[in-house]
Amino acid sequence: MDLIANNLHLIVGGGFLIGFLIGITGVGAGSLTTPMLIGIGVDPRIAVGTDLLFASITKASAALRHQRLGNVDWPILVWLAIGSLPGAAAMLYWLSMSQADTASLVFYIRKVLAITLVVSAIAIALHPWLRKRGPGQDQTVAEMPAHKLPTALFGVVLGAMVALTSVGAGAIGVAVLTGLYPALMARRIVGTDIVHAVPLTLVAGMGHASMGHVDTSLLLALLAGSVPGILIGSRITGKIPDWLLRIALA
């Protein structure tokens, strides 16, 4: 509690920045939350668990907006979830079995998080290039048949990675889906990825909560900053260049 009180301005300010990015881009910017919390001294397990529930709540508004706009490819989302939810459950089971070895668990979270953050940053930067290598805008389509096995297998890896580090559901998910479905409209890929991230982060977050890896006070402090950030960011959507946002995020 003293840690939260002493760093309340940083936590609320960080929540505002992340909410602002969500409001502008619709992307969760989850790769910023966990490193920020660990940086101010929060236990990596608490940082991951709290961030997962924070992500599920904050992404819900963006997910609802994409669903209303018809930006979700449900067959692709279903096959992604078929892999990701069991993948997250398997990782949560491993985490629960590893509770006795706290030092080892923290070590693994830090190492995998470091790798995931680098991959996430690269994915953010490469996404426009991947889109350019795909079909032209006049050739993109609103629907594509789901590549069932590759999508489900990627879902398994994504679910395990998100459950362990809380990072990857956004940038990495979008980059890989772009590679799997290059002719699918960009807004459909982003919308599908965001809606899929809501149940994934919720399931993973609830699993961490059952292990005591969620700090409610910390979660409320993050939400106190993110809610006004989302409201302000959503009002200026499209007024900040996408390339500038990508550089900042990466």
Side-chain angles (χ1 to χ4, degrees), residues 156-248:
V156 172
V157 176
L158 184 65
M161 185 168 55
V162 169
L164 180 61
T165 68
S166 79
V167 175
I172 295 175
V174 167
V176 174
L177 287 178
T178 299
L180 287 172
Y181 304 96
L184 192 63
M185 297 173 69
R187 60 183 177 85
R188 297 275 286 181
I189 289 177
V190 172
T192 301
D193 181 70
I194 289 174
V195 174
H196 165 257
V198 174
L200 173 58
T201 53
L202 179 61
V203 167
M206 293 302 292
H208 276 274
S210 70
M211 292 183 278
H213 295 172
V214 173
D215 188 311
T216 305
S217 299
L218 182 59
L219 176 61
L220 291 175
L222 286 168
L223 290 172
S226 70
V227 171
I230 291 172
L231 293 175
I232 294 173
S234 62
R235 289 182 175 272
I236 60 174
T237 300
K239 296 183 179 179
I240 297 178
D242 181 71
W243 64 268
L244 182 59
L245 285 171
R246 289 189 176 278
I247 290 174

Side-chain angles (χ1 to χ4, degrees), residues 45-161:
R45 296 166 299 168
I46 303 296
V48 169
T50 304
D51 181 25
L52 284 166
L53 285 184
F54 172 66
S56 68
I57 295 170
T58 53
K59 288 184 179 183
S61 60
L64 182 61
R65 185 166 70 247
H66 279 284
Q67 163 59 16
R68 287 175 175 172
L69 292 172
N71 292 344
V72 182
D73 190 306
W74 288 102
I76 293 175
L77 187 149
V78 167
W79 281 100
L80 194 58
I82 284 174
S84 68
L85 296 183
M91 178 57 70
L92 289 168
Y93 177 77
W94 178 80
L95 289 173
S96 68
M97 294 297 100
S98 304
Q99 271 192 325
D101 192 357
T102 302
S104 177
L105 179 57
V106 170
F107 172 82
Y108 282 118
I109 290 176
R110 284 183 180 273
K111 291 298 182 184
V112 178
L113 177 61
I115 296 170
T116 308
L117 284 170
V118 173
V119 174
S120 183
I122 294 172
I124 290 171
L126 287 184
H127 180 249
W129 180 78
L130 289 172
R131 295 301 305 179
K132 287 180 180 179
R133 286 181 60 85
Q137 188 64 33
D138 57 337
Q139 295 175 282
T140 57
V141 296
E143 292 185 12
M144 283 186 68
H147 305 316
K148 298 176 182 179
L149 184 58
T151 303
L153 289 176
F154 167 63
V156 172
V157 176
L158 184 65
M161 185 168 55

